[in-house]
Amino acid sequence: MTSPALTTAQAAARPLDALRCDVAGPPELTWPAAEHLRLLGATPREGAGADGAAGPYGLSGGHLTLDGAGFGPVTADVRWADPAGPVRTEATAAYDTTPGHGGVQDEATAQAATGVMAVHGRRDGTPRGLAADYTATAASVLAVQGLLAQLFARARGGDPATSGTGTAGPGVTVSATRAGLLSVSQYFAATGADEDEATELAPGGPPFTSADGTLFELETLDPGAWAAFWRALGAPAEAIRAGWRPFQFRYATACAPFPDALHAATRGHRWPRLLEAAAASGTEVCALRTLAERAAEHDAAAPWSLSRLGPAAVPAGRPRSHPATPGHPLAGVTVLEAGRRIQAPLAAHLLRLLGADVVRVEPPGGDPLRGMPPACGGVSARWLALNRGKRAVEADIKAPSGRRRLRGLVAEADVFLHNWAPGKAAQLGLDAADLSAVNPGIVYAYTSGWAGRLDPAPIGTDFMVQARTGVGAAVRPADEPPAPSLMTLLDVLGGLLGAEAVLAGLLLRERNGGRGVRVDSSLLGAADALTAPALRRAARGGGPRRPAGFRRPLRTADGWVAPADRCAAAAAAYDLTGLPTADALRLLGTHGLTATAVTTDLASLHGDARFAGTIGRDALGAPKVPTPWTFT
């Protein structure tokens, strides 16, 4: 089919201009999606909105529809748990008031079941709930991705949801549980490794505290800078040496058991002195901001930006139509990824799961993170979680020959995606303007830390962005000191937003005659998406943080249970410490209280009835989580 074009009057780079949307269902599941659709140009129908209205699944899920501008309707269902549901057993029957959902009915129970509470709680030594609606936000973004992917496939002449007979209607289903599993996929993959973790999994980690009470995060990628900072504070040499490895691996393990002497060293100096030590050593420190401070400076910007590149369209003769297949709306799309660590590789991983051919550009000798322990079949288990199924080419982009090779690859690609340090692409002659000259139809995607929105800002890594944007306060209830999660919350959510931005860019390109698009996303955008409800409360003058004790699971004789948020106060009145978990759940169920068992060992997800048939292993034996979308 011919792609429905944008008119000259539609000057803004919004791929959903002239489309209409309907949204119904619980706001925590649907509000982020509704907001993103609005920012991308869709107009809500009069009376439509994510207001908690009962949809086809009651309050267990939401429903979104897009149509108009020559597109027939495409839909997305956002649910708390998988639509297929787990096996209903005697152990779950007492507390499972929604058959087939294993007690997962809201954010708290989704975090508990998928292992999010376990990973977030590693620093503390016990499972803890995130006080922010993380799995719901991620599921909402995944729903928008599904809608954009369907529209893109239609614009290119295919339909990802059409069966061989052409009779099935287009739609996609996502769930908070699959979003939660995706968010812990790296930690889960490590449970199937052939060797132990590179460092101890034990309680401990930042933030640090100054003598005058300033909570702060520290960041450096250089062991020399790390040592110089601590020497300036008078920390013992042995503590400095012992602290580096857990600090270096905290992104992989979600904990950092530092020697107490390091915390004691920072408590012996006031904040100005710590700033001096950081500047002299080449490390960076960032004081934790409050949500009120972030709300006061918030610019209300979208979590990504799209801009058209150059006047030219796709060169004549370049194929524009590729047959999409069920579940693979990006079939025929080539993504060239030059990503490091998590954010960009995860974005490309999601595009691959949607059917794109992803080619990784790696330095000579390959990505060094392939060897990051623990390994599975000789390859880093965590690396596999983000990069399995991708092709790889090696190119030294610091050399002219390597840059020429990359430009040659760009000429044949649809998307170029990277997360290099700010300014590096322009320095190498590989920025959007440079590569659009090679391929006028390229979607140039940059996933960064700050997107140039905050100046000055510290280095744009996950935990520093959490500290600077108030996420450390948003993820902890009001009776606890703020502390950024050592689970890579923003890297994962930033990767989701990066994939969403690429899909928006691809659709915009198709609606604009093949003209290239630049898309920018960031960890800052991820932080704002996650803290949006708290920022709205702060802007209204209310308390932005959740109340005391929020989302704290309850101890049983052999584990933990997490009550649904609406049942938490009533469930806390029962002493469950002498009961096995199954009996504790039955007791709560007899009183009409919804709860679910907390997954404390991620390896147990393989046999968990709540995810029966969805957890698998790859060719190297590494555990893998299910694809987050179900196209119907």
Side-chain angles (χ1 to χ4, degrees):
M1 65 176 282
T2 301
S3 172
L6 294 165
T7 67
T8 304
Q10 294 164 336
R14 302 194 305 176
L16 299 184
D17 273 335
L19 275 79
R20 300 177 299 275
C21 65
D22 286 306
V23 181
E28 58 268 39
L29 275 177
T30 56
W31 184 88
E35 181 67 4
H36 288 199
L37 295 176
R38 181 188 69 80
L39 292 168
L40 290 169
T43 302
R45 282 193 175 85
E46 187 174 352
D51 56 4
Y57 313 103
L59 293 181
S60 66
H63 186 76
L64 305 101
T65 303
L66 275 175
D67 64 7
F71 289 103
V74 293
T75 65
D77 290 325
V78 195
R79 305 182 183 181
W80 287 115
D82 262 6
V87 176
R88 187 170 169 82
T89 66
E90 180 182 353
T92 65
Y95 65 92
D96 182 2
T97 56
T98 303
H101 288 78
V104 177
Q105 295 186 16
D106 70 347
E107 178 69 29
T109 48
Q111 288 187 25
T114 57
V116 170
M117 283 189 176
V119 177
H120 173 58
R122 282 182 180 178
R123 187 236 310 273
D124 300 287
T126 59
R128 307 179 71 92
L130 292 162
D133 291 343
Y134 190 77
T135 69
T137 301
S140 211
V141 174
L142 288 165
V144 175
Q145 292 174 6
L147 290 168
L148 292 170
Q150 291 178 87
L151 291 173
F152 171 73
R154 284 187 161 199
R156 284 166 67 93
D159 189 335
T162 300
S163 66
T165 62
T167 59
V172 66
T173 300
V174 300
S175 67
T177 51
R178 291 211 180 190
L181 291 172
L182 178 67
S183 69
V184 300
S185 60
Q186 299 170 77
Y187 310 101
F188 177 47
T191 66
D194 306 324
E195 57 186 356
D196 293 334
E197 291 277 4
T199 188
E200 181 185 14
L201 297 183
F208 298 99
T209 308
S210 70
D212 45 356
T214 299
L215 292 169
F216 69 96
E217 278 283 339
L218 169 71
E219 185 65 278
T220 179
L221 306 178
D222 178 2
W226 161 268
F229 174 79
W230 292 109
R231 283 197 300 267
L233 302 184
E238 180 54 37
I240 297 172
R241 286 192 296 270
W244 170 246
R245 192 167 182 83
F247 179 81
Q248 182 184 23
F249 278 92
R250 71 199 190 284
Y251 283 91
T253 61
C255 59
F258 299 144
D260 289 339
L262 298 186
H263 286 285
T266 65
R267 289 194 296 267
H269 299 274
R270 297 177 65 82
W271 180 237
R273 171 62 187 133
L274 296 173
L275 289 172
E276 291 175 1
S281 64
T283 61
E284 294 201 41
V285 293
C286 180
L288 270 60
R289 292 290 188 101
T290 67
L291 288 163
E293 287 173 323
R294 177 63 188 142
E297 68 175 7
H298 190 223
D299 57 6
W304 18 244
S305 63
L306 292 81
S307 56
R308 296 184 177 95
L309 292 173
V314 172
R318 180 175 174 78
R320 291 283 311 286
S321 180
H322 299 273
T325 59
H328 294 92
L330 297 193
V333 171
T334 297
V335 176
L336 190 63
E337 176 223 324
R340 305 173 303 162
R341 293 181 175 261
I342 298 172
Q343 186 184 13
L346 175 58
H349 173 67
L350 292 167
L351 298 172
R352 186 191 69 79
L353 292 177
L354 287 168
D357 177 25
V358 177
V359 182
R360 274 183 59 79
V361 179
E362 300 185 1
D367 184 349
L369 291 182
R370 288 176 181 266
M372 181 182 185
C376 196
V379 182
S380 169
R382 292 189 175 89
W383 188 91
L384 286 169
L386 300 176
N387 296 293
R388 65 171 59 93
K390 299 176 183 177
R391 295 191 288 128
V393 298
E394 295 183 10
D396 182 4
I397 60 173
K398 297 178 182 178
S401 60
R403 294 194 290 275
R404 284 194 298 271
R405 185 175 191 196
L406 189 143
R407 291 189 187 98
L409 293 168
V410 167
E412 300 300 321
D414 295 278
V415 177
F416 177 66
L417 168 67
H418 75 90
N419 63 340
W420 297 332
K424 181 177 179 180
Q427 178 187 350
L428 295 173
L430 300 174
D431 209 349
D434 303 306
L435 297 188
S436 66
V438 175
N439 180 352
I442 196 71
V443 173
Y444 183 99
Y446 180 35
T447 61
S448 67
W450 300 104
R453 287 171 50 199
L454 283 180
D455 187 27
I459 184 173
T461 58
D462 190 313
F463 308 140
M464 294 293 268
V465 178
Q466 285 195 54
R468 176 65 179 77
T469 60
V471 172
V475 299
R476 295 264 173 169
D479 58 335
E480 298 178 17
S485 176
L486 285 179
M487 181 177 165
T488 51
L489 301 180
L490 300 187
D491 275 335
V492 170
L493 189 53
L496 288 170
L497 291 173
E500 180 186 43
V502 168
L503 289 162
L506 285 167
L507 179 59
L508 180 63
R509 184 187 72 173
E510 294 307 307
R511 296 194 70 194
N512 198 40
R515 181 177 173 182
V517 180
R518 173 171 179 147
V519 299
D520 288 82
S521 60
S522 64
L523 300 183
L524 175 59
D528 287 346
L530 182 59
T531 60
L535 295 177
R536 291 197 299 272
R537 293 193 295 270
R540 294 193 297 264
R545 300 182 71 190
R546 298 289 196 172
F550 189 68
R551 289 191 186 142
R552 286 184 188 154
L554 306 175
R555 186 67 135 150
T556 66
D558 58 355
W560 301 80
V561 299
D565 284 338
R566 63 182 175 81
C567 302
Y574 295 91
D575 181 4
L576 307 177
T577 56
L579 295 176
T581 297
D583 291 344
L585 292 169
R586 288 192 190 95
L587 173 64
L588 295 177
T590 60
H591 293 279
L593 303 176
T594 299
T596 199
V598 177
T599 296
T600 54
D601 178 7
L602 296 189
S604 69
L605 290 171
H606 285 286
D608 195 318
R610 293 170 294 191
F611 311 110
T614 64
I615 305 290
R617 293 183 184 273
D618 66 14
L620 293 175
K624 66 176 184 177
V625 301
T627 300
W629 317 270
T630 301
F631 289 94
T632 57

